[in-house]
Each structure stands twice: as structure tokens, then as C-alpha cells.
Amino acid sequence: MAAPFKKQVKILLEKGCDFQIGVRKGTVLELRKEGYLVSWDRWMDDDSGECHPSVFSIMSYEDIVTENNYGSLKVLNRPLAMPLEPKQVRRSERVPAEVARMRFRKQFVLAIQEMLDDGSLRLVRDDFDLKIVDIVANGRDRYNKYITAHMMQDKRRGGSVVKKTDLQSERDVDFHKGFKSGHTMWKWFWQWRNNGDDGLFDSYRNCGKYARYDSATDGFICRVLNTLWDQERPTIYSYVESVKAAIESENARRERLAVPSGKLQQVGYDYVLGMIKDNAPIDHAIRKHGWDKAYRDMHAIGIGVETFRALERVEIDEYTVDLFVLMENTGLFDHLPASIRNLIGLDGSACRVTLSAAIDVHTRCLLALQIVPKALETPIEQTLEMIYMDKTAIADAAGAKFGWPMAGAPEMIVLDRGSAYVTDDAYDILASLGITNMGAPAGKPWLKPFIERIFRTIHSDLLLRFSGRAFSNVVERGENDSASRATLTLEAFLAWLVRWTVDAYHTKPHSSLGMSPAQAWAKAVKECPPRSLTNAEMREAFGVRKKRKLTRNGILMNYVHYQTDEIMNLYFSSKVEEVEVLRWDGDIGAISIRADDGPWTTVTARDPMWIGKTDTDLRVWLHDKSDQENDERIARQDFINEVNSESYRLKRLAGLISLPKHAGDLDRDVERFSRFADTAERRHAAGEFRDLLDDLDEDLKFDDSQPKLASKTAPDHFDPSSEISDEDSME
């Protein structure tokens, strides 16, 4: 029916239409410009019990469309449609078995109509009785052809077979019934003539809906079960046994009465189970499995956590993998310092490692996934840093086919209340980054279900493929020695973990998303690009503070010199000798410095080769440089040895090499080099000072036989007659 005005709106109801919204029923009296004029019937509020009278009101077209979108609008009767009788069942409410019975009867009715048309049957009930065999034969033939046509698989033009859906298979139920009498065929035919196909439906839907046990039995069993709800970890069989014992006792008591009354019927397992489901399913689940498991399995989920963009909600948690890994020092960790290798625990033993992971709830993408050393108490800083960084380089290093670009600034972080996250440092870093901290109580994993689910996926999809698995208890573990069966090194485990994340998990279609996490991330980023931080903000949040001296070469920090015009002016025009440095491993091309607790200033590297590089690039460069320097040192050492050997050989050939000396020559050289040394010892041995001509005067006074004093100018062992060669001269 066309709208009586020009405004284009969606018209769902027409004049005279009966409809229902919730518990309220109404009739459309007229379509106006502002909406439907509705006559509302009397209705009662089920919650308050208040009875509302019949009223007239205007309901806008948009409100009716909204109620229709939420599924609360129900059309009871349209004026141009055939009204339904109160007991009439809608065709959409019929079950497949009812439809199959109707189709079976319809083939016999059509066979009767064909016989009436060709004159082989008269429209008389006695003739139906006389020709019942022909009617049944024709009806059977038609029904067999009908079933055969529906059971045959259709083919497309290309020859491929068309697969039928489950609903189509249910509709093609092969239903058989025995031969009928002429009176039954007469009744079917006239029901079809008067009411069409609806007249061929029978009361099959009411089959089996009778009460097997009387109300007295039901009430007695309910009273018995009410005394059993508080049992610990009960089973259905224990309830059945208790109910049967109570019925036997009650029947015995009734027999002992003065006027014996009727006995109660004995019940079985299915009946007791049905009574539990009807009366106390939640109580039974709590007593059998405990509150936590009963709530986890039975609580209503509803729409769940709702997000509208990537990085709106991120969940972080830790997980100790159920796999023993060999902690061996392989080539992957050669560029790391010894302190970091010791922190990781690369001692060659087999142990289980702990992972710290972060997942984006909106796209189900892993934003961070790394091992947590045992010595690291608060891993949240490293995990947050990985969330902000593009991890494609990690995926390339692991040999993955796809990248790992999932990065950005999260809006909300969901953490548990574990000791690793309830710290001042964790709160400070979240506050400095402007991240909302949502703390989930410990022992409530359903409050952060997405990160818990990803850990189970890692176990079921990746870890079970390797040997050395650990088990949750001694019964499952048995005699399996997981540590001795470990074959996967830490390097190989990390590589497979990255490849599984990028190539297996991010590319697998997710049932909740309707697409893969990688596709969901690409779509979310296209609609609302995530926000990132500048390098200065990253240094402030994740950087390391140290003290460094200010020299004319600038500032030396981890083998890299940093120098700018501001640093030069600071060095020449102030008395600053030491500055505070803030360095972030994600960008070593620049650092932040401050002097005398002043503001932070950015200083770039002196060599442009470090602009935009990371600490990993520096470690690799140092490792390669050490190998090159070692080769250069060995080359220089070999050159020096060879050139010395060759020089010595040539000098010997030219006679420039002196002959080897014996012990006497060495003593003579020592005496010659110490000949003119003036010491207290020698002065004492020389005696008092005498003039140069005193020896001549003494020769005149004394005989030659008298001993002579040693001269000061010459040693006592000096022989004037000895000759000094040119080689012995000091000059």
C-alpha cells in the first residue's frame, strides 16, 4: 500500500494490520504523515502486574522500523491475507516429519484426482472402498516417483554435482505408511478440497506429549531431589539410585497402611535427568563441577566484549609453555653481550620458557610475543615496547613469508593482578603513555578470554608437534621424561614460534571475525589508522638513563659518537663535564641529553650511518667488526714475524750480525759500562782526597816496598799498561 505522502520512508504495516510489540498488541487505524495511528489493546506488565487500559497513539515509521530491526515486531494479521484460526499452525512452524507426512498424503490425493478426471473413479464413498487397491497402487507409484526425483542429485551445466544443504535433505524425508481404507482416502480427499495442503496435516506434533507419570509421582520425586542438591560432586546415577530407594520405601509404607493406597511407578535415568533439568540445573552443575567451572560453562555470554577499532583493547598475560627447550648458545645470540646471554640462561640445560604475549581484541592479532627471562621481574615494559614497534624484520629473520606490521599505541591494556604487573613501575609507564589500565582479578580468566584462548591455541596447534612436551599432572605425564626428550633448541623454538604467528595464526580464518586476523587488521587500519609515538617519546618511555662525559668529540655512547652544534657550544662555553643521557635501543641514531637537571635535548649521531638504526644493527656491526679486526690483527702479526725473519737473514748474509758472546765478554761489558760510576761505596774504598802530585812526594819519603794508597782518580784495579781498543771506547 502506497504512503499518503511524498516523504520516502519504509512502510511495514498497512491500515487494518494487527501487530504485536513485546506483550502489547495493537491495530493500525490510519497512516498519517507523522506515523501510524494505532489502537492499543489492554495489556498487563508482567514485572509489575499493572494493567494498562486501551489507548490510541501515534507511532512513528522510524520506531516501527527500529522494532523490526531488533526483532520485537510481530505481525499477527494483515487485512489482505487469509486470517489464521486460533488453533491453526503456521506452515513455518511445521517440523520436517509433519511436512513429509503431508506430502505422502498429497500424492494419494493427486492420484485420486487423476482417477476422477479420467472417469475410472466416481466421487462416491462406496466407490472409494471398492477401488481402494487401484487408489493405493496409483498413489504409491506417484509417491515413489516423487521421492526418486527428490533424492537424485541435480547437476549443473558443466556436469558438477549440486550438493544439497542439510535443510533440503530434511525436507526430502522418505516417509512410508501402510495401506489405507477407502474411508480414509475419502476423508483425505475432502480435507484437501476444502483446506488445500493445510488440510492434509494431522496431529503428529502432539504425539508423545502425554504425561507418563501422574502429578503425585512428580511431586514426590521433586521432594526427594530437593534433599539431594547439597551433595558434593553428585552424579546422575547417584540421584537415580536415591530416588528409586525412596520410591521403594514409600511403596512399602503404603502397603502397611490400614487401607493400602496405590503404589508409585518406578522411574529411570532419563526421567530423573529431565527432572533435574526442569527444577535445578544450575544447582546440580555447581555441586558437580564447582562454582567456577559451572559459571564458565553455563553463564550467558551475550554480545561479549565490543570493540570498534584496532588497539582499542589489548590483553597481556604470561604463559609457561608445555614444552622443554634446550637452552644452548647458538649463532643467534653471538652478537648479544655476555650479561644478556647469562640473563636468558643459555647454560645448555633443558627447561620450560615463559612467554609474554599481547593480543588485539578487535582483530585477534598478536602484537607482542617474546620470552621472559627468569631474572626479569616486570616484563610489561618490554612487552609494551614490542607493541609499539613494527616486527616485520623479526618475521623476515625467521624466514616467514608474510610480514608482522601489527603495531601502534594501545588505548586500553587488560592485565591480571599478578605480582609482575602490580608494581609502581608498571603503573608509571602506563600513565606516561596515556594507556587505560584495566586490572582483572586473579583467578578470573574469563575477564581476559582472548589472551587465554591464544595460549591454548599455541599449545594445540604448535607445541604438540614437537617432542619434549610437559603435562599438567603426573597421571598424564606417566613415565615420560620430558626433559630428556627435548630436541628443540631455543633458537629453533623462537623461529618456529614467529613463523607460526605470522604464517599460520594470522592467516587462518577466525570464526568470530569471518576472516583471518591479518585481513581484519588490514581492514581496521584502513578504516581507522592506529596512532604511534615519536622517537623522543619512545626514548622517554622505554629508554635507559646513564651518565657520560662531555668531550671535544661529543658524547660516546655504546661505541657511537653523538655531536651537534649545541653540544659543541655546550662544551666550549660552559663548565659542564658530565651529562645525563637517555638512549633507546629502537633508535640509536639520536639520544636525549640534559645538563644540570635541565630540559632534555635531542642529539644526533656524528656519523650519518647510524641515523635510523637500532641497537640490533649496532650489535651485528660490532660482531662483524670484531671478526674483521681479529683477521687484521693476525695479518699484521704474520707480517711482523716474516719481515723480522727476512731482515735477520739478509743481515747475516751481509756480515752485519756479530758473533755470539761468552760469559767473559759479558763480564767485561758490565765492567766497562760501570767504570765511571760515582758511588758512596767507591768513595769509601778510595779513601781521603789527595792532590795530584801527592804520589810523587811519597815516593821521595818512603821506599818502594811500602804499600801505596789507591789513587782517587783511578780505580785500584786499573792497569796503566792495558790497552783500550776502539771498540771499548764509550765514544
Side-chain angles (χ1 to χ4, degrees), residues 321-326 350-352 463-471 480-488:
V321 299
D322 295 335
L323 184 72
F324 278 87
V325 179
L326 297 176
C351 66
R352 299 167 64 185
L463 300 183
L464 58 81
R465 306 178 189 275
F466 301 103
S467 61
R469 285 180 55 205
F471 296 90
N480 180 43
D481 188 1
S482 303
S484 62
R485 299 184 68 250
T487 58
L488 202 63

Side-chain angles (χ1 to χ4, degrees), residues 245-256:
I247 291 177
E248 292 291 343
S249 299
E250 177 64 17
N251 291 336
R253 185 190 66 82
R254 293 186 178 188
E255 288 183 355
R256 293 192 299 268

Side-chain angles (χ1 to χ4, degrees), residues 34 52 102 138 141 365 404 472 490 510:
E34 59 273 14
H52 298 269
M102 183 273 296
N138 294 334
D141 184 54
C365 288
W404 198 353
S472 58
L490 179 61
H510 199 284

Side-chain angles (χ1 to χ4, degrees), residues 527-567:
E527 295 175 352
C528 182
R531 178 178 57 87
S532 300
L533 297 182
T534 63
N535 290 343
E537 292 175 317
M538 294 294 288
R539 277 195 299 272
E540 182 179 353
F542 306 108
V544 178
R545 296 188 180 186
K546 292 185 179 181
K547 295 284 188 177
R548 286 294 183 268
K549 289 185 177 181
L550 180 62
T551 65
R552 62 179 183 177
N553 290 324
I555 299 173
L556 179 62
M557 185 76 175
N558 288 22
Y559 306 98
V560 179
H561 283 90
Y562 296 89
Q563 193 171 46
T564 58
D565 293 341
E566 187 172 355
I567 289 293

Side-chain angles (χ1 to χ4, degrees), residues 375-430:
L376 191 62
E377 297 180 356
T378 56
I380 184 174
E381 181 176 351
Q382 288 74 17
T383 304
L384 279 176
E385 182 180 359
M386 194 173 186
I387 293 176
Y388 282 92
M389 299 178 63
D390 190 341
K391 296 160 283 290
T392 301
I394 300 176
D396 295 340
K401 294 183 179 179
F402 290 88
W404 198 353
M406 295 75 181
E411 301 178 22
M412 176 189 292
I413 295 291
V414 182
L415 304 167
D416 59 19
R417 309 300 295 175
S419 58
Y421 303 119
V422 186
T423 61
D424 293 338
D425 295 338
Y427 295 150
D428 290 342
I429 190 172
L430 291 174

Side-chain angles (χ1 to χ4, degrees), residues 246-410:
I247 291 177
E248 292 291 343
S249 299
E250 177 64 17
N251 291 336
R253 185 190 66 82
R254 293 186 178 188
E255 288 183 355
R256 293 192 299 268
L257 295 176
V259 179
S261 59
K263 296 183 179 181
L264 299 176
Q265 290 182 281
Q266 196 58 266
V267 298
Y269 179 92
D270 294 336
Y271 177 81
V272 175
L273 179 59
M275 293 293 291
I276 292 174
K277 292 181 178 179
D278 293 338
N279 293 276
I282 297 179
D283 293 341
H284 171 65
I286 293 174
R287 287 297 178 179
K288 184 176 182 180
H289 304 291
W291 170 262
D292 291 340
K293 188 176 187 305
Y295 181 79
R296 185 171 61 249
D297 296 341
M298 301 181 65
H299 77 283
I301 297 178
I303 195 173
V305 178
E306 188 176 13
T307 57
F308 301 96
R309 55 191 173 274
L311 298 171
E312 181 181 358
R313 177 188 172 101
V314 176
E315 296 181 358
I316 296 179
D317 203 355
E318 294 181 7
Y319 166 63
T320 301
V321 299
D322 295 335
L323 184 72
F324 278 87
V325 179
L326 297 176
M327 307 296 290
E328 296 180 354
N329 187 9
T330 55
L332 180 66
F333 309 101
D334 290 344
H335 67 283
L336 295 178
S339 59
I340 298 181
R341 292 198 294 267
N342 295 334
L343 182 66
I344 298 175
L346 301 176
D347 55 358
S349 62
C351 66
R352 299 167 64 185
V353 296
T354 301
L355 297 177
S356 178
I359 188 173
D360 176 41
V361 175
H362 186 69
T363 62
R364 306 298 197 275
C365 288
L366 282 169
L367 303 174
L369 188 61
Q370 57 184 352
I371 63 171
V372 179
K374 295 181 179 179
L376 191 62
E377 297 180 356
T378 56
I380 184 174
E381 181 176 351
Q382 288 74 17
T383 304
L384 279 176
E385 182 180 359
M386 194 173 186
I387 293 176
Y388 282 92
M389 299 178 63
D390 190 341
K391 296 160 283 290
T392 301
I394 300 176
D396 295 340
K401 294 183 179 179
F402 290 88
W404 198 353
M406 295 75 181

Side-chain angles (χ1 to χ4, degrees), residues 77-244:
N77 182 31
R78 293 189 179 274
L80 300 181
M82 184 178 66
L84 293 175
E85 297 181 0
K87 295 183 179 181
Q88 188 175 357
V89 181
R90 290 178 177 270
R91 186 67 175 267
S92 60
E93 298 176 359
R94 298 289 185 181
V95 297
E98 290 182 279
V99 177
R101 296 170 68 91
M102 183 273 296
R103 290 174 178 174
F104 174 82
R105 296 182 179 188
K106 186 176 181 180
Q107 300 305 319
F108 285 87
V109 171
L110 294 177
I112 293 173
Q113 185 64 46
E114 290 181 353
M115 295 177 67
L116 292 174
D117 293 341
D118 60 16
S120 60
L121 179 66
R122 294 183 297 113
L123 193 57
V124 180
R125 189 174 65 179
D126 292 342
D127 201 26
F128 276 63
D129 292 332
L130 294 174
K131 300 179 180 178
I132 182 63
V133 176
D134 296 336
I135 295 175
V136 170
N138 294 334
R140 277 289 183 185
D141 184 54
R142 286 188 60 89
Y143 184 71
N144 291 335
K145 291 180 179 179
Y146 169 80
I147 291 296
T148 303
H150 279 73
M151 295 302 294
M152 292 180 63
Q153 293 182 338
D154 299 332
K155 293 185 178 181
R156 296 189 180 95
R157 176 179 296 182
S160 61
V161 178
V162 178
K163 294 184 178 180
K164 294 187 177 181
T165 62
D166 296 338
L167 181 60
Q168 290 175 339
S169 300
E170 290 179 358
R171 291 176 177 175
D172 297 339
V173 176
D174 187 2
F175 178 75
H176 297 279
K177 294 189 68 174
F179 296 106
K180 297 297 179 181
S181 63
H183 176 71
T184 302
M185 296 297 175
W186 175 266
K187 183 178 66 173
W188 287 0
F189 180 76
W190 282 107
Q191 288 175 348
W192 177 68
R193 287 282 298 268
N194 295 332
N195 301 314
D197 292 349
D198 290 341
L200 298 178
F201 285 102
D202 54 9
S203 300
Y204 178 78
R205 60 174 37 241
N206 299 325
C207 294
K209 293 185 179 181
Y210 64 93
R212 182 176 180 181
Y213 302 96
D214 55 12
S215 59
T217 303
D218 294 340
F220 176 80
I221 294 176
C222 285
R223 292 193 297 272
V224 173
L225 291 176
N226 288 335
T227 63
L228 303 176
W229 298 136
D230 60 345
Q231 292 182 354
E232 299 295 335
R233 299 294 188 268
T235 61
I236 304 299
Y237 288 103
S238 67
Y239 284 146
V240 173
E241 187 176 7
S242 299
V243 169
K244 287 184 176 181

